[in-house]
Amino acid sequence: MKVMKFGGTSVGTPSRMMDVTKLVTKSGEPVFVVLSAMSGTTNSLVEISNYLYKKNPEGANEVINNLERKYMQHIDELYSTDEMKSKTRDFLISEMNYLRSFTKELFTSFEEKNIVAQGELLSTNMVVNYMQEQGIKAVLLNALDFMRTDKNSEPDPTYIKEKLSAIMEKNEGNQVYVTQGFICRNAYGEVDNLQRGGSDYTASLIGAALNAEEIQIWTDIDGMHNNDPRIVDKTQPVHQLHFEEAAELAYFGAKILHPTCVQPAKYAGIPVRLLNTMEPDAEGTTISNATEYGKIKAVAAKDNIIAIKIKSSRMLLATGFLRKVFEIFESYQTPIDMVCTSEVGVSMSIDNSAHLGEIVDELKKYGTVTVDTGMCIICVVGDLDWSNIGFETIVMDAMKNIPVRMISYGGSNYNISFLIREEDKKRALQSLSDTLFN
């Protein structure tokens, strides 16, 4: 069985929902489908929550009314029978009244997650109703019945596999199994979510639980490109990536994929394919445990980076110096992206400025601190093992006219990273494309 995940733009209109139905039934084989909320819906639900936090029920009700009008307009476009139009209309009225009920009670973060969860519940019900109207044996499985996180807010794969296997056995014989992405319950049974990008995570967790043949992530882009097509000319889709290469690209700026979502598939050895709903016959990108040896695959960029350098003559041969420095970042829950050391100093980059002032004050206990803002990390990804003689030279040559603040190489066999100014980003990306791919 294949798992197919469709994002918000893929189910963003009635015509797109019809296209998704054709895609998932094309092979005639049983498939498991994970759906996001219709594009724009989650933002509206977050806006409703914000009004309720500010004790403004009138503002919340106005957004709910607008959302209701939008969804009601879709009914005549999507359904052809009076029976299904009536069924879906009753469901939508019930959902909107449920949202309105929050305007009459004390509002907490638990209620917010309940509100945000309704987006996926709306889209999946509408699509399953359409499939059933078309005579397709489709069943809706509520993700809240099997998708759960543990006390550390991490997915609980044992629980997910056990519950989902029992539900699948009970619903055996259907052609299409549909569930919600993103939403789950936490260890205490409360409605929660897997954070933004969580629909990809849901698909990967389900694929691993079902030991799926393949996990397909359908978006509006034809796979992961070898550079940022919004900035660089003549980019091309990358047809094959190792899981580690995909994770590096996702972390360093390739927005098509959430960095954590491929982990369950990676450990289960299940390939992930990134495909385009607008061009369903395009090859897309396949991510697996296979490596294409001796090949540079892609370039990505991560903005809003801050470089911090601490220089101290006391660092020379000082045991525990780095531990003390890293503990400061840990105490403020601020991850470090890049690290470079010398005999008398260490430079680090972060992408979270929330506690920058406190971190700098703490670091000044150990040396002279300088901070550079407006920086950018450029990441070159591929089979960059040190035994591939000359690869680093080719990459360096492409960057020869770009001022570089830091370089990271050797921490992974899959990337070389450069810290540069954001104003040099476009020039750097284009130069790397020209040298490496064109």
Side-chain angles (χ1 to χ4, degrees), residues 39-59:
S39 54
T41 298
T42 300
N43 289 337
S44 294
L45 294 170
V46 170
E47 188 179 4
I48 292 166
S49 298
N50 287 340
Y51 275 120
L52 293 175
Y53 265 127
K54 294 176 174 62
K55 297 181 172 55
N56 183 353
E58 293 82 7

Side-chain angles (χ1 to χ4, degrees), residues 380-412:
V380 180
V381 168
D383 176 33
L384 298 168
D385 187 89
W386 65 276
S387 61
N388 292 319
I389 297 171
F391 270 17
E392 69 279 5
T393 307
I394 298 168
V395 176
M396 298 289 187
D397 187 56
M399 296 290 289
K400 64 185 178 184
N401 295 317
I402 309 295
V404 176
R405 169 72 173 74
M406 287 169 61
I407 301 173
S408 176
Y409 177 49
S412 157

Side-chain angles (χ1 to χ4, degrees), residues 201-220:
Y201 209 174
T202 301
S204 190
L205 289 163
I206 289 170
L210 297 178
N211 195 25
E213 170 191 346
E214 182 178 86
I215 298 164
Q216 298 179 352
I217 308 292
W218 290 82
T219 66
D220 53 358

Side-chain angles (χ1 to χ4, degrees), residues 246-292:
E248 296 277 10
L249 289 170
Y251 182 75
F252 283 104
K255 300 299 184 187
I256 188 174
L257 195 66
H258 195 272
T260 58
C261 87
V262 295
Q263 289 177 355
K266 172 189 171 183
Y267 298 139
I270 300 169
V272 175
R273 292 184 69 200
L274 309 180
L275 298 162
N276 186 356
T277 48
M278 314 306 163
E279 296 180 44
D281 296 325
E283 184 177 345
T285 300
T286 299
I287 305 168
S288 69
N289 282 316
T291 298
E292 285 188 292

Side-chain angles (χ1 to χ4, degrees), residues 79-104:
Y79 307 105
S80 55
T81 65
D82 290 339
E83 179 187 357
M84 198 56 75
K85 287 179 183 180
S86 177
K87 178 182 177 181
T88 307
R89 190 175 289 110
D90 289 345
F91 165 73
L92 291 178
I93 291 170
S94 172
E95 275 290 298
M96 297 304 156
N97 286 339
Y98 178 68
L99 290 176
R100 290 186 183 98
S101 71
F102 290 99
T103 65
K104 301 166 186 174

Side-chain angles (χ1 to χ4, degrees), residues 67 247 293 357 398:
L67 197 62
Y293 294 101

Side-chain angles (χ1 to χ4, degrees), residues 240-383:
Q240 194 279 333
L241 287 169
H242 188 278
F243 279 117
E244 296 288 350
E245 294 170 338
E248 296 277 10
L249 289 170
Y251 182 75
F252 283 104
K255 300 299 184 187
I256 188 174
L257 195 66
H258 195 272
T260 58
C261 87
V262 295
Q263 289 177 355
K266 172 189 171 183
Y267 298 139
I270 300 169
V272 175
R273 292 184 69 200
L274 309 180
L275 298 162
N276 186 356
T277 48
M278 314 306 163
E279 296 180 44
D281 296 325
E283 184 177 345
T285 300
T286 299
I287 305 168
S288 69
N289 282 316
T291 298
E292 285 188 292
Y293 294 101
K295 189 171 182 180
I296 296 175
K297 297 292 187 66
V299 179
K302 189 176 183 183
D303 295 328
N304 303 313
I305 302 297
I306 301 158
I308 302 172
K309 179 169 72 174
I310 173 170
K311 185 173 67 173
S312 172
S313 58
R314 290 178 295 161
M315 181 181 174
L316 184 63
L317 302 178
T319 303
F321 180 87
L322 286 177
R323 175 180 56 79
K324 292 172 184 174
V325 168
F326 292 149
E327 281 177 348
I328 292 170
F329 289 89
E330 182 183 1
S331 67
Y332 290 102
Q333 297 185 318
T334 301
I336 297 170
D337 287 320
M338 292 174 66
V339 180
C340 290
T341 64
S342 74
E343 288 297 327
V344 294
V346 56
S347 290
M348 296 149 291
S349 71
I350 61 173
D351 64 359
N352 182 352
S353 63
H355 300 287
L356 180 60
E358 297 101 310
I359 289 169
V360 170
D361 283 343
E362 295 266 2
L363 289 173
K364 284 178 178 177
K365 296 175 185 176
Y366 302 108
T368 304
V369 181
T370 56
V371 176
D372 295 315
T373 57
M375 307 297 284
C376 167
I377 294 177
I378 303 289
C379 176
V380 180
V381 168
D383 176 33

